[in-house]
Amino acid sequence: MKEDHWEKERKAMVWEQLVPRGIKDERVIQAFLKVPRHEFVPYPDREDSYGDFPLPIGEGQTISQPYMVALMTELLKLQEEDRVLEIGTGSGYQTAILAELAKEVYTVERIEILLERAKKILRRLGYKNIHFRVGDGTLGWEEFAPYNAIIVTAGSPEIPQPLLDQLEEGGRLVIPVGDRYSQVLIRVTRKRRGFKRENFGPCVFVPLIGKFGWS
Ligand code: SAM
């Protein structure tokens, strides 16, 4: 498939799906115009890569809908010098978006085959600021904590305590919280004393499976 075909699809995704629904951070918009989402979508669904829906990536998992990736990214309010922890690498698409916007990205995935696939694609695309780990992301990644931002791309019954503990003061954590089949998108901001919690409406994610998630 010719590159300008994908570029056209990417522009349509940004201007017809993301911007009309309220995505306005210029850096976020530029990242979505740049990252080749189709590279992260396995065949036979590749032609639908820029559609307004999630797609299967194997192992019963999904690459999230473009708007949901954009909304969660915007809510993180990333700065160029930020270090961000991502739980649920999946296809690696969200990871690439984060790598465009932050200084270092630490990403954790529990399914090794997905992590290896994402790593291969991200290395081929030239990303050098991403650190990969296979394991239970509900425990966070203590070694490199605290983080300026944490994003969880799977639905959890509650907010895992280790992730709150690994958030820097002023740091933002975005996570879907609810039951197995429907959640609400929550942003938690760490204040000098305690946490501020905001609700950004309903969403549907695959379950976060681990010690501080679903069993
Ligand atoms: N952001 C991803 C993308 O753009 O492709 C979508 C990720 S998918 C909706 C959620 C991912 O979270 C799955 O790959 C799943 O295996 C992973 N996951 C679930 N529980 C996890 C855990 N405890 N630790 C790390 N990853 C987990």
Side-chain angles (χ1 to χ4, degrees), residues 152-182:
V152 182
T153 66
S156 185
E158 54 199 55
I159 302 175
Q161 186 61 41
L163 300 184
L164 293 170
D165 295 341
Q166 291 175 27
L167 201 56
E168 173 99 72
E169 188 183 319
R172 293 80 54 200
L173 161 64
V174 174
I175 178 170
V177 179
D179 63 34
R180 265 191 180 253
Y181 303 102
S182 69

Side-chain angles (χ1 to χ4, degrees), residues 61-63 88 90-91 94 108-111 135-137 153 207-209:
Q61 305 303 323
T62 52
I63 175 171
S91 69
Q94 170 85 72
V108 184
E109 169 59 55
R110 62 180 283 274
I111 302 177
D136 177 5
T153 66
L208 181 74
I209 296 169

Side-chain angles (χ1 to χ4, degrees), residues 18-205:
L18 309 190
V19 174
R21 290 192 184 118
I23 299 301
K24 41 180 159 323
D25 183 323
E26 190 51 39
R27 293 181 69 232
V28 173
I29 290 172
Q30 288 309 321
F32 277 81
L33 285 171
K34 181 173 171 191
V35 175
R37 180 173 164 95
H38 59 279
E39 298 278 357
F40 299 89
V41 176
Y43 291 105
D45 291 305
R46 191 160 282 192
E47 190 47 47
D48 290 331
S49 296
Y50 295 91
D52 194 9
F53 35 75
L55 286 166
I57 56 169
E59 309 302 312
Q61 305 303 323
T62 52
I63 175 171
S64 304
Q65 176 200 26
Y67 171 66
M68 190 48 68
V69 180
L71 174 61
M72 293 177 87
T73 306
E74 191 162 90
L75 290 176
L76 288 175
K77 296 192 193 158
L78 293 175
Q79 306 291 314
E80 273 172 46
E81 290 304 306
D82 280 354
R83 296 165 59 258
V84 46
L85 173 66
E86 177 190 41
I87 308 304
T89 318
S91 69
Y93 175 62
Q94 170 85 72
T95 321
I97 296 283
L98 298 173
E100 292 286 338
L101 297 167
K103 186 169 183 200
E104 301 292 337
V105 180
Y106 300 83
T107 188
V108 184
E109 169 59 55
R110 62 180 283 274
I111 302 177
E112 186 165 7
I113 186 169
L114 291 181
L115 189 87
E116 289 306 319
R117 183 174 164 270
K119 192 195 274 185
K120 213 164 123 193
I121 298 167
L122 290 160
R123 293 245 163 99
R124 175 161 52 75
L125 292 175
Y127 290 100
K128 302 219 164 20
N129 58 340
I130 304 173
H131 312 268
F132 300 87
R133 178 179 186 169
V134 178
D136 177 5
T138 68
L139 302 171
W141 192 344
E142 180 121 49
E143 192 183 347
F144 299 103
Y147 301 95
N148 304 104
I150 301 179
I151 177 171
V152 182
T153 66
S156 185
E158 54 199 55
I159 302 175
Q161 186 61 41
L163 300 184
L164 293 170
D165 295 341
Q166 291 175 27
L167 201 56
E168 173 99 72
E169 188 183 319
R172 293 80 54 200
L173 161 64
V174 174
I175 178 170
V177 179
D179 63 34
R180 265 191 180 253
Y181 303 102
S182 69
Q183 303 89 32
V184 287
L185 195 58
I186 300 289
R187 178 172 64 191
V188 175
T189 306
R190 185 164 201 161
K191 301 290 183 188
R192 194 177 313 166
R193 286 201 194 89
F195 295 89
K196 175 181 161 196
R197 186 177 166 129
E198 298 162 278
N199 181 335
F200 290 90
C203 55
V204 178
F205 278 83

